[in-house]
Amino acid sequence: MKSKALITHLSDGEVHSGESLAAKLGVSRTAVWKQVRKAMEEGVEIQTIRGKGYQLLSSVDLLDADSILSAIAPEYRGDIALQVLDEVGSTNAEVGRRMSSGEASLPITIADCQTAGRGRRGRVWTSPRGENLYLSMGITLQGGFSRLDGLSLVLGVAVANALERLGAQGLGLKWPNDIFVPGGKLGGILVELQGELQEGVVQVIAGFGINVHAQTLGGVDQPWSSLARSYPDVRWRRNDLAGNLITAVQDALDLFSRDGFGAFLEPWQARDIFKGQSVEAKGGGVVGIAAGIDERGNYLVRTGDGTVPVRAGEISLRVVS
Ligand code: BTN
């Protein structure tokens, strides 16, 4: 956003003259006016008060790398290579690029908007500017590919932990890792394998999309909600959210490495939104009662012929009436 500095100055909600803004930004008054117009075109509500100046009417929640870093637990800060972008195609693609260019430490990319946000199963992830959180992390796990089985569920638990710590109550998880509130989907996680397959090391990109302030989301074809809609009494700040999410993911990955997936079975099951409902999987090939997950992260469906484990991946699970 070209007008980020301008909006930072206006974010106190006071009236600022064109002259004082021009001085603070080191530009002409005409340039200030152009930035105001641009910001308004991008959806920021700014009032022009004749003879006095400009005032921000809507509250803005700007991303800021220093604020994100200070919201991350100190023990993790040193390992992280944080990149905060104004706009990107997909933060997952950007982290993939950073990993393949050999960037050291733990690459994390956050963007204010995505122009080609990716969802699971080839879907588009609607990613409007300034509204939500789009965050990707490059994760390296020691161990074989079996480590991947539980990973996406582990990440779902980590997101729920972070959101609950900040004041979200009653969150649910929809297998394998959608974040749900009673109003619908609040967020999703896209886990993509990165690089050449190497024995003993697994590299993945984990992308988190959380609806934060959105009140409308064009093109989304299922019930959805945002933190601001579902928890209007909490003051949601994307920087805090990002810092807490990164910390929760690092905590969860430490526990996963130390104790394996078993440590996540109970926390995942406690938030299972399917449990006890009639469900179908594999395009209707498996129909039965949802019975939670097993120690590998498969979803169990109790059918007339016994319990069938359903693997995460191509197939989805849905409630049938
Ligand atoms: C889903 O379909 O539920 C997963 C959505 C994942 C969206 C996030 S937003 C940040 C990261 N970058 C992407 O392109 N996708 C993920």
Side-chain angles (χ1 to χ4, degrees):
M1 190 189 271
K2 294 233 168 41
S3 46
K4 190 169 172 180
L6 168 85
I7 292 165
T8 306
H9 287 299
L10 289 175
S11 61
D12 59 6
E14 301 293 319
V15 179
H16 292 259
S17 69
E19 200 174 357
S20 71
L21 288 169
K24 282 178 192 147
L25 296 169
V27 296
S28 67
R29 286 174 60 179
T30 313
V32 169
W33 164 235
K34 281 188 183 153
Q35 286 192 29
V36 167
R37 237 181 20 201
K38 182 89 181 56
M40 288 165 75
E41 277 164 25
E42 287 173 347
V44 181
E45 284 178 70
I46 299 173
Q47 178 174 229
T48 306
I49 307 169
R50 194 182 277 271
K52 288 199 168 153
Y54 305 103
Q55 184 177 31
L56 191 64
L57 295 180
S58 48
S59 80
V60 286
D61 178 17
L62 296 175
L63 290 175
D64 173 64
D66 289 338
S67 309
I68 295 169
L69 280 172
S70 56
I72 298 173
E75 65 267 33
Y76 298 130
R77 275 181 215 153
D79 302 332
I80 289 167
L82 178 66
Q83 178 190 45
V84 180
L85 300 175
D86 180 45
E87 180 175 303
V88 73
S90 153
T91 54
N92 264 33
E94 177 62 15
V95 165
R97 188 196 62 70
R98 293 175 67 193
M99 286 174 104
S100 29
S101 71
E103 233 182 80
S105 56
L106 186 111
I108 297 182
T109 297
I110 302 175
D112 198 38
C113 78
Q114 297 184 118
T115 53
R118 315 205 277 239
R120 289 180 65 231
R121 297 152 63 78
R123 294 201 181 100
V124 166
W125 188 257
T126 305
S127 310
R129 176 179 295 284
E131 301 268 307
N132 301 325
L133 185 67
Y134 319 113
L135 182 156
S136 298
M137 300 175 73
I139 296 173
T140 303
L141 291 177
Q142 303 301 323
F145 292 114
S146 58
R147 308 283 293 144
L148 286 175
D149 279 341
L151 179 67
S152 61
L153 285 82
V154 165
L155 297 174
V157 171
V159 173
N161 284 339
L163 297 178
E164 285 166 5
R165 207 169 293 144
L166 292 170
Q169 287 161 4
L171 287 178
L173 291 171
K174 176 177 170 230
W175 185 84
N177 59 15
D178 284 350
I179 318 299
F180 262 69
V181 285
K185 182 163 167 170
L186 184 70
I189 305 171
L190 176 66
V191 178
E192 297 179 295
L193 263 178
Q194 164 69 14
E196 302 283 307
L197 301 185
Q198 263 178 280
E199 200 38 57
V201 183
V202 183
Q203 284 199 312
V204 297
I205 302 157
F208 304 86
I210 314 282
N211 300 329
V212 184
H213 299 292
Q215 296 294 340
T216 56
L217 270 187
V220 177
D221 59 359
Q222 59 171 320
W224 63 273
S225 192
S226 63
L227 289 166
R229 265 191 178 186
S230 292
Y231 308 100
D233 296 338
V234 179
R235 187 161 187 241
W236 295 101
R237 291 277 156 238
R238 290 186 299 164
N239 297 324
D240 280 350
L241 185 56
N244 275 271
L245 179 64
I246 292 165
T247 303
V249 169
Q250 292 293 84
D251 285 344
L253 292 175
D254 283 355
L255 184 62
F256 186 42
S257 299
R258 208 174 51 239
D259 297 353
F261 185 65
F264 294 87
L265 266 173
E266 193 282 323
W268 198 95
Q269 312 259 38
R271 294 163 172 130
D272 180 4
I273 66 164
F274 281 137
K275 186 93 185 220
Q277 302 207 56
S278 295
V279 289
E280 69 170 38
K282 299 190 181 172
V286 178
V287 180
I289 301 298
I293 51 173
D294 67 13
E295 67 293 337
R296 294 177 67 101
N298 298 317
Y299 203 87
L300 302 174
V301 181
R302 199 161 293 138
T303 72
D305 301 326
T307 300
V308 180
V310 180
R311 284 203 72 183
E314 328 68 45
I315 49 104
S316 64
L317 197 62
R318 67 180 194 92
V319 172
V320 286
S321 37

